[in-house]
Amino acid sequence: MDTPELLDGYGPVKGFDEMYAGSGTEVRPIYEAVRAAFSEMGPDEVRLRADSLASSYLEQGITFGVEGEERPFPLDIVPRLIEAHDWEHVERGVRQRVLALEAFLDDIYGSGELFADGVVPRSTVMTSPHYARVVAGLDPANGVRIHVSGIDLIRDGDGDFRVLEDNVRVPSGVSYVMTNRRALSASLPELFADHRIRPVAQYSQQLLAALRAAAPAGVNDPTVVVLTPGVYNSAYFEHTLLARTMGVELVEGRDLVCRSGRVMMRTTNGLEPVHVIYRRIDDDWLDPQQFRAESTLGVPGIINAARAGHVTIANAIGNGVADDKLLYTYLPDLIDYYLGEEPILKNVDTWRVGEADQREEVLDRLDELVLKPVDGSGGKGIVIGPAASTAELDELRTKILLDPRAWIAQPVISLSTVPTLVEDGIRPRHVDLRPFAVNKGDGDVWVLPGGLTRVALPEGELIVNSSRGGGSKDTWILAAGSEVDEDEESGLLASATTGVGLEPDRMQVQEQEQEQQQSSGQGRSPC
């Protein structure tokens, strides 16, 4: 087959390319049909479909927020394909990681045996800005603190999946997985029909089942709600989508009130009890009686209601300590300690800059390494040494010496590349992958077959966030055996209505929503 015009100049590719093997001339079997389909369509037809895809996203209001500005979310027309056996490895690794993190959170907010056994220094946990003493001793109803997780993965130069970071506070992005699938199956119906692709449509019902399973003891038919900061939050589209597809109420803090240790929802029929709250608000804004007193986004008294066992907050307060990138370096030890297993998905090699001997090596190699703030997100604060100026490295050195615990260092890893439509044609671009897992308890962790693939659109860029010019891809997990696709939910992308009018104090609320988004990477869009 002649090389399609769109693919002229694609290779050779440095590092691991997911479409081409070797020198960049041998197409991997998994991508043969994709390459043939785009060749048959030709450049004009591909561009026409890509433009139509972009327009449909814009018309449906599928956006992400950057510094208060809503922007269209770029969806690439070339899907990312993953073999069934590779995905089985990812599934097992994500489940293992979630179970280890659950055990860790149960331990640090309970007996603290890992400190006595010397697995993790007590100071590593207690100095984390996300450790919440206010929930020490609070046992969740069914033992689950991580109801939803997003584990960020990359493929290294050998094609092996590695964990880049864990997100177990308020992970965002699953709405794009759902809408990407619906949009791309409509844009490429013939290609979609030629593949056996595992579905993503069941995510909302899996999430609802997990939330219902987390209801307080004695509640057989729980009322579940999605708690949003409001329309100004960059992930508000996701909040509305999940509430609708789960068939539950979308509420703001002012819609809830605590009475006698219970959370009640204001309705046209009066106050009604709420049993499970899937909150999309960060810890600091959730309860003004316990955290930021000026918050108008949360619910005063909600933590006392949780302590009384009358309401479940998902994900649990205080989970952020498990997201700390310094704690990330201990995950292999935690997997061994709690599960007695070797990690299925390996970490990226990481230096703990807070330790003197490792800090000395890092400072000597600043121009070779990637430095990350331990509580950073969305690509903010990352310094890629080889791309940094002398002034930037000097500034970084000063920051490290002032607060070494606030940093980790990693080698520069060339993320795998996948075919992506850009101005010059279809070219290799770097990607990561965020699989989402739902935990129902008793070891029942379900991993959404796919996840959010983020792609760095500028040539050579390694940071995939849309705020840095990135986009996303539909991730096709090829089915094995009897696994078959199913129809997506009808009406999935119908526009959500907020049912909320602006009030005089909404300016204060908007400011708080924006401040929350700036201080946390998980109450916001993952872009």
Side-chain angles (χ1 to χ4, degrees), residues 7 9-32 34-35 76 78-83 86 154-161 414-421 426-431 455-456 473:
L7 287 159
Y10 187 95
V13 178
K14 183 179 180 180
F16 184 83
D17 186 75
E18 297 187 19
M19 183 170 73
Y20 283 108
S23 61
T25 58
E26 180 184 350
V27 180
R28 300 183 192 275
I30 190 174
Y31 271 95
E32 286 178 350
V34 172
R35 184 180 184 277
D76 184 51
V78 186
R80 181 188 192 182
L81 279 62
I82 298 178
E83 294 272 21
D86 287 331
I154 61 167
R155 298 185 85 165
D156 62 18
D158 296 321
D160 295 329
F161 282 100
S414 182
L415 283 62
S416 65
T417 53
V418 298
T420 304
L421 182 65
I426 293 178
R427 298 291 183 268
R429 292 295 185 265
H430 295 293
V431 291
V455 55
K473 285 177 166 286

Coordinates of all heavy atoms in Angstrom, one line a residue, residues 7 9-32 34-35 76 78-83 86 154-161 414-421 426-431 455-456 473:
L7 N 0.0 10.9 5.9 CA 1.1 10.3 6.7 C 2.4 10.6 6.2 O 3.4 10.1 6.7 CB 0.8 8.8 6.9 CG -0.3 8.5 7.8 CD1 -0.8 7.1 7.5 CD2 0.1 8.6 9.2
G9 N 5.9 12.0 5.9 CA 6.7 12.7 6.9 C 6.4 12.3 8.3 O 6.9 13.0 9.2
Y10 N 5.6 11.2 8.5 CA 5.3 10.8 9.9 C 6.6 10.3 10.7 O 6.7 10.7 11.8 CB 4.3 9.6 9.9 CG 3.8 9.2 11.2 CD1 2.6 9.8 11.7 CD2 4.4 8.4 12.0 CE1 2.1 9.4 12.9 CE2 3.9 8.0 13.3 CZ 2.8 8.5 13.7 OH 2.3 8.2 15.0
G11 N 7.4 9.5 10.0 CA 8.5 8.9 10.8 C 9.9 9.3 10.2 O 9.9 10.1 9.2
P12 N 10.9 8.8 10.7 CA 11.0 7.8 11.8 C 10.7 8.5 13.1 O 10.9 9.7 13.3 CB 12.4 7.3 11.8 CG 13.2 8.4 11.1 CD 12.3 9.0 10.1
V13 N 10.3 7.8 14.1 CA 9.9 8.3 15.4 C 10.9 7.9 16.5 O 11.3 6.8 16.6 CB 8.5 7.8 15.8 CG1 8.1 8.4 17.2 CG2 7.5 8.2 14.8
K14 N 11.3 8.9 17.3 CA 12.2 8.6 18.4 C 11.4 8.1 19.6 O 10.4 8.8 20.0 CB 13.0 9.9 18.8 CG 14.0 9.7 19.9 CD 14.7 11.0 20.2 CE 15.7 10.8 21.3 NZ 16.5 12.0 21.6
G15 N 11.7 7.0 20.2 CA 11.0 6.5 21.3 C 9.9 5.5 20.8 O 10.0 4.9 19.7
F16 N 8.9 5.2 21.6 CA 7.9 4.2 21.3 C 6.7 4.8 20.7 O 6.0 5.6 21.3 CB 7.5 3.5 22.6 CG 6.5 2.3 22.4 CD1 7.0 1.1 22.0 CD2 5.2 2.5 22.5 CE1 6.1 0.0 21.8 CE2 4.3 1.5 22.3 CZ 4.7 0.2 21.9
D17 N 6.5 4.4 19.4 CA 5.3 4.9 18.7 C 4.3 3.8 18.7 O 4.6 2.6 18.4 CB 5.6 5.3 17.3 CG 4.5 5.9 16.5 OD1 4.1 7.1 16.8 OD2 3.9 5.2 15.7
E18 N 3.0 4.1 18.9 CA 2.0 3.1 19.1 C 1.4 2.6 17.8 O 0.8 1.6 17.7 CB 0.9 3.6 20.0 CG 1.4 3.8 21.4 CD 0.3 4.2 22.4 OE1 -0.8 3.8 22.2 OE2 0.7 4.7 23.5
M19 N 1.7 3.3 16.6 CA 1.3 2.9 15.3 C 2.4 2.2 14.5 O 2.1 1.2 13.9 CB 0.7 4.0 14.5 CG 0.1 3.6 13.2 SD -0.8 4.8 12.3 CE 0.5 5.9 11.7
Y20 N 3.5 2.8 14.6 CA 4.7 2.2 13.8 C 5.7 1.6 14.7 O 6.0 2.1 15.7 CB 5.3 3.3 13.0 CG 4.6 3.8 11.8 CD1 4.0 5.0 11.7 CD2 4.5 3.0 10.6 CE1 3.3 5.4 10.6 CE2 3.8 3.4 9.5 CZ 3.2 4.6 9.5 OH 2.5 5.0 8.4
A21 N 6.2 0.4 14.2 CA 7.3 -0.3 14.9 C 8.6 0.0 14.2 O 8.6 0.4 13.1 CB 7.0 -1.8 15.0
G22 N 9.7 -0.3 14.9 CA 11.0 -0.3 14.3 C 11.3 1.1 13.8 O 11.2 2.1 14.6
S23 N 11.7 1.3 12.6 CA 12.2 2.5 12.0 C 11.1 3.5 11.6 O 11.4 4.6 11.2 CB 13.1 2.3 10.8 OG 12.4 1.6 9.8
G24 N 9.9 3.0 11.8 CA 8.8 3.9 11.4 C 8.1 3.5 10.1 O 7.4 4.3 9.6
T25 N 8.4 2.4 9.6 CA 7.9 1.9 8.3 C 6.9 0.7 8.4 O 6.1 0.5 7.5 CB 9.0 1.6 7.3 OG1 9.8 0.5 7.9 CG2 9.8 2.8 7.0
E26 N 7.0 0.0 9.5 CA 6.2 -1.2 9.8 C 5.0 -0.8 10.6 O 5.2 -0.5 11.8 CB 7.1 -2.3 10.4 CG 6.3 -3.6 10.7 CD 7.1 -4.6 11.4 OE1 8.4 -4.4 11.5 OE2 6.6 -5.6 11.9
V27 N 3.8 -1.0 10.1 CA 2.6 -0.6 10.8 C 2.3 -1.8 11.8 O 2.2 -3.0 11.4 CB 1.4 -0.4 9.9 CG1 0.1 -0.1 10.7 CG2 1.7 0.7 8.9
R28 N 2.0 -1.4 13.1 CA 1.6 -2.5 14.0 C 0.2 -3.0 13.6 O -0.6 -2.2 13.2 CB 1.6 -1.9 15.4 CG 2.9 -1.4 15.9 CD 2.9 -0.9 17.3 NE 4.0 -0.1 17.7 CZ 5.2 -0.6 18.1 NH1 5.3 -1.9 18.3 NH2 6.2 0.2 18.4
P29 N 0.0 -4.3 13.8 CA -1.3 -4.9 13.3 C -2.5 -4.2 13.9 O -3.5 -4.1 13.1 CB -1.2 -6.3 13.8 CG 0.3 -6.6 13.9 CD 1.0 -5.3 14.2
I30 N -2.4 -3.7 15.1 CA -3.6 -3.1 15.7 C -4.0 -1.8 15.0 O -5.2 -1.5 15.0 CB -3.3 -2.8 17.2 CG1 -4.6 -2.3 17.9 CG2 -2.2 -1.7 17.3 CD1 -4.4 -2.2 19.4
Y31 N -3.1 -1.2 14.3 CA -3.4 0.1 13.6 C -3.6 -0.1 12.1 O -3.8 0.9 11.3 CB -2.3 1.1 13.8 CG -2.6 2.0 15.1 CD1 -2.0 1.6 16.3 CD2 -3.4 3.1 15.0 CE1 -2.3 2.4 17.4 CE2 -3.7 3.8 16.2 CZ -3.1 3.5 17.4 OH -3.3 4.2 18.5
E32 N -3.5 -1.3 11.5 CA -3.6 -1.4 10.1 C -4.9 -0.9 9.5 O -4.9 -0.3 8.5 CB -3.3 -2.9 9.7 CG -1.9 -3.4 9.9 CD -1.7 -4.8 9.6 OE1 -2.7 -5.5 9.4 OE2 -0.5 -5.3 9.4
V34 N -6.9 1.2 10.8 CA -7.0 2.7 11.0 C -6.3 3.4 9.9 O -6.8 4.3 9.2 CB -6.5 3.1 12.4 CG1 -6.4 4.6 12.5 CG2 -7.4 2.6 13.5
R35 N -5.1 2.9 9.6 CA -4.3 3.5 8.6 C -4.9 3.4 7.2 O -5.0 4.3 6.4 CB -2.9 2.9 8.5 CG -1.9 3.5 7.5 CD -0.6 2.7 7.6 NE 0.5 3.3 6.8 CZ 0.6 3.1 5.5 NH1 -0.3 2.2 4.9 NH2 1.6 3.6 4.8
D76 N -9.2 14.9 19.0 CA -8.6 14.5 17.7 C -9.4 13.4 17.1 O -10.0 12.5 17.7 CB -7.1 14.0 18.0 CG -6.4 13.6 16.8 OD1 -6.4 14.4 15.8 OD2 -5.9 12.5 16.7
V78 N -8.3 10.9 15.2 CA -7.7 9.6 15.1 C -7.8 8.9 16.5 O -7.2 9.5 17.4 CB -6.2 9.7 14.7 CG1 -5.6 8.4 14.4 CG2 -6.1 10.6 13.4
P79 N -8.4 7.8 16.5 CA -8.6 7.1 17.9 C -7.2 6.5 18.3 O -6.3 6.3 17.5 CB -9.6 6.0 17.6 CG -9.4 5.7 16.1 CD -9.1 7.0 15.5
R80 N -7.1 6.3 19.6 CA -6.0 5.6 20.2 C -6.5 4.1 20.5 O -7.5 3.9 21.1 CB -5.5 6.2 21.5 CG -4.3 5.5 22.1 CD -4.0 6.1 23.4 NE -2.7 5.6 23.9 CZ -2.2 5.9 25.1 NH1 -2.9 6.7 25.9 NH2 -1.0 5.5 25.5
L81 N -5.7 3.2 20.0 CA -6.1 1.8 20.1 C -5.2 1.1 21.1 O -3.9 1.3 21.1 CB -6.1 1.0 18.8 CG -7.3 1.2 17.9 CD1 -7.5 2.6 17.5 CD2 -7.2 0.3 16.7
I82 N -5.7 0.2 22.0 CA -5.0 -0.6 22.9 C -5.4 -2.0 22.9 O -6.6 -2.3 22.9 CB -5.1 0.0 24.4 CG1 -4.6 1.4 24.4 CG2 -4.4 -0.9 25.4 CD1 -4.7 2.1 25.8
E83 N -4.5 -2.9 22.8 CA -4.8 -4.3 22.7 C -5.4 -4.9 24.0 O -5.1 -4.4 25.1 CB -3.5 -5.1 22.4 CG -2.8 -4.8 21.1 CD -3.4 -5.7 20.0 OE1 -4.5 -6.3 20.1 OE2 -2.7 -5.9 18.9
D86 N -2.9 -5.9 26.7 CA -2.2 -4.8 27.3 C -3.2 -4.1 28.3 O -2.8 -3.7 29.4 CB -1.8 -3.7 26.3 CG -0.6 -4.1 25.5 OD1 0.2 -4.9 26.0 OD2 -0.5 -3.7 24.3
I154 N 1.7 6.5 31.7 CA 2.4 6.8 30.4 C 2.9 5.5 29.9 O 3.0 4.5 30.6 CB 3.5 7.8 30.6 CG1 4.6 7.2 31.6 CG2 3.0 9.1 31.1 CD1 5.9 8.0 31.6
R155 N 3.3 5.4 28.6 CA 4.1 4.3 28.1 C 5.5 4.8 27.9 O 5.7 5.9 27.2 CB 3.5 3.8 26.8 CG 2.1 3.2 27.0 CD 1.5 2.6 25.8 NE 2.0 1.2 25.7 CZ 1.4 0.3 24.8 NH1 0.4 0.7 24.1 NH2 1.8 -1.0 24.8
D156 N 6.5 4.1 28.4 CA 7.9 4.5 28.3 C 8.5 4.1 26.9 O 7.8 3.7 26.0 CB 8.7 4.0 29.5 CG 8.8 2.5 29.5 OD1 8.5 1.8 28.5 OD2 9.1 2.0 30.6
G157 N 9.8 4.3 26.8 CA 10.4 4.0 25.5 C 10.3 2.6 25.1 O 10.5 2.3 23.9
D158 N 10.1 1.7 26.0 CA 9.9 0.2 25.7 C 8.4 -0.1 25.5 O 8.1 -1.3 25.2 CB 10.5 -0.6 26.8 CG 12.0 -0.4 26.9 OD1 12.7 -0.3 25.9 OD2 12.5 -0.4 28.1
G159 N 7.5 0.8 25.6 CA 6.1 0.5 25.5 C 5.4 0.1 26.7 O 4.3 -0.3 26.7
D160 N 6.2 0.0 27.9 CA 5.6 -0.4 29.1 C 4.8 0.7 29.8 O 5.3 1.9 29.8 CB 6.7 -0.9 30.1 CG 7.5 -2.1 29.6 OD1 6.8 -2.9 28.9 OD2 8.7 -2.2 29.8
F161 N 3.7 0.3 30.3 CA 2.9 1.3 31.1 C 3.5 1.6 32.4 O 3.9 0.6 33.1 CB 1.4 0.8 31.3 CG 0.6 1.0 30.1 CD1 0.3 -0.1 29.2 CD2 0.0 2.2 29.7 CE1 -0.5 0.0 28.1 CE2 -0.8 2.3 28.6 CZ -1.0 1.2 27.8
S414 N 10.5 10.1 27.5 CA 9.8 10.4 26.2 C 8.5 9.6 26.1 O 8.6 8.4 25.9 CB 10.7 10.0 25.0 OG 10.1 10.3 23.8
L415 N 7.4 10.2 26.4 CA 6.1 9.6 26.4 C 5.9 8.9 25.0 O 6.4 9.4 24.0 CB 5.0 10.6 26.6 CG 4.7 11.0 28.1 CD1 5.9 11.8 28.7 CD2 3.5 11.9 28.1
S416 N 5.1 7.9 25.0 CA 4.8 7.2 23.7 C 4.1 8.2 22.8 O 3.5 9.2 23.3 CB 4.0 6.0 23.9 OG 2.7 6.3 24.5
T417 N 4.2 8.0 21.5 CA 3.5 8.8 20.5 C 2.4 8.0 19.8 O 2.5 6.8 19.7 CB 4.5 9.4 19.5 OG1 5.2 8.3 18.9 CG2 5.4 10.4 20.2
V418 N 1.4 8.7 19.4 CA 0.3 8.1 18.6 C 0.0 9.0 17.4 O 0.2 10.2 17.5 CB -1.0 7.9 19.5 CG1 -0.7 7.0 20.7 CG2 -1.5 9.3 20.0
P419 N -0.6 8.5 16.4 CA -1.0 9.3 15.2 C -2.0 10.4 15.5 O -3.1 10.0 16.1 CB -1.5 8.3 14.2 CG -1.9 7.1 15.0 CD -1.0 7.1 16.2
T420 N -1.8 11.6 15.2 CA -2.7 12.7 15.6 C -2.8 13.7 14.4 O -1.8 14.0 13.7 CB -2.1 13.4 16.8 OG1 -1.9 12.5 17.9 CG2 -3.0 14.6 17.2
L421 N -4.0 14.1 14.1 CA -4.2 15.1 13.0 C -3.8 16.5 13.4 O -4.4 17.0 14.3 CB -5.6 15.0 12.5 CG -5.9 15.9 11.3 CD1 -5.2 15.5 10.1 CD2 -7.4 16.0 11.0
I426 N -1.1 13.9 9.5 CA -1.2 13.0 10.7 C 0.3 12.8 11.1 O 1.1 12.3 10.3 CB -1.8 11.7 10.3 CG1 -3.3 11.9 10.1 CG2 -1.7 10.7 11.5 CD1 -4.1 10.7 9.7
R427 N 0.6 13.2 12.3 CA 1.9 13.2 12.9 C 2.0 12.5 14.3 O 0.9 12.5 14.9 CB 2.5 14.6 12.9 CG 2.6 15.3 11.6 CD 3.7 14.7 10.7 NE 3.8 15.4 9.5 CZ 3.2 15.1 8.3 NH1 2.3 14.1 8.3 NH2 3.4 15.8 7.2
P428 N 3.1 12.1 14.7 CA 3.2 11.5 16.0 C 3.2 12.6 17.1 O 3.9 13.6 17.0 CB 4.6 10.8 16.0 CG 5.4 11.5 15.0 CD 4.4 12.0 13.9
R429 N 2.4 12.4 18.1 CA 2.3 13.3 19.2 C 2.3 12.5 20.5 O 1.7 11.4 20.6 CB 1.1 14.2 19.1 CG 1.1 15.2 18.0 CD 2.2 16.2 18.1 NE 2.2 17.2 17.1 CZ 3.0 17.2 16.0 NH1 3.8 16.2 15.8 NH2 3.0 18.2 15.1
H430 N 2.8 13.1 21.6 CA 2.9 12.4 22.9 C 1.6 12.4 23.6 O 0.8 13.3 23.6 CB 4.0 13.2 23.8 CG 5.4 13.1 23.2 ND1 6.1 11.9 23.1 CD2 6.2 14.1 22.7 CE1 7.3 12.2 22.6 NE2 7.4 13.5 22.3
V431 N 1.4 11.3 24.3 CA 0.1 11.1 25.0 C 0.3 10.5 26.4 O 1.4 9.9 26.7 CB -0.8 10.1 24.3 CG1 -1.3 10.7 23.0 CG2 -0.1 8.8 24.0
V455 N -3.5 14.4 24.7 CA -2.4 14.4 23.7 C -1.8 15.8 23.6 O -2.6 16.8 23.6 CB -3.0 14.0 22.3 CG1 -4.2 14.8 21.9 CG2 -1.9 14.1 21.2
A456 N -0.5 15.9 23.6 CA 0.2 17.2 23.5 C 0.2 17.5 22.0 O 1.0 16.9 21.2 CB 1.6 17.1 24.1
K473 N -8.2 12.2 23.0 CA -8.5 11.2 22.0 C -9.5 10.2 22.6 O -9.5 10.0 23.8 CB -7.2 10.4 21.6 CG -6.3 11.2 20.7 CD -5.1 10.3 20.4 CE -4.3 10.9 19.3 NZ -4.9 10.7 18.0

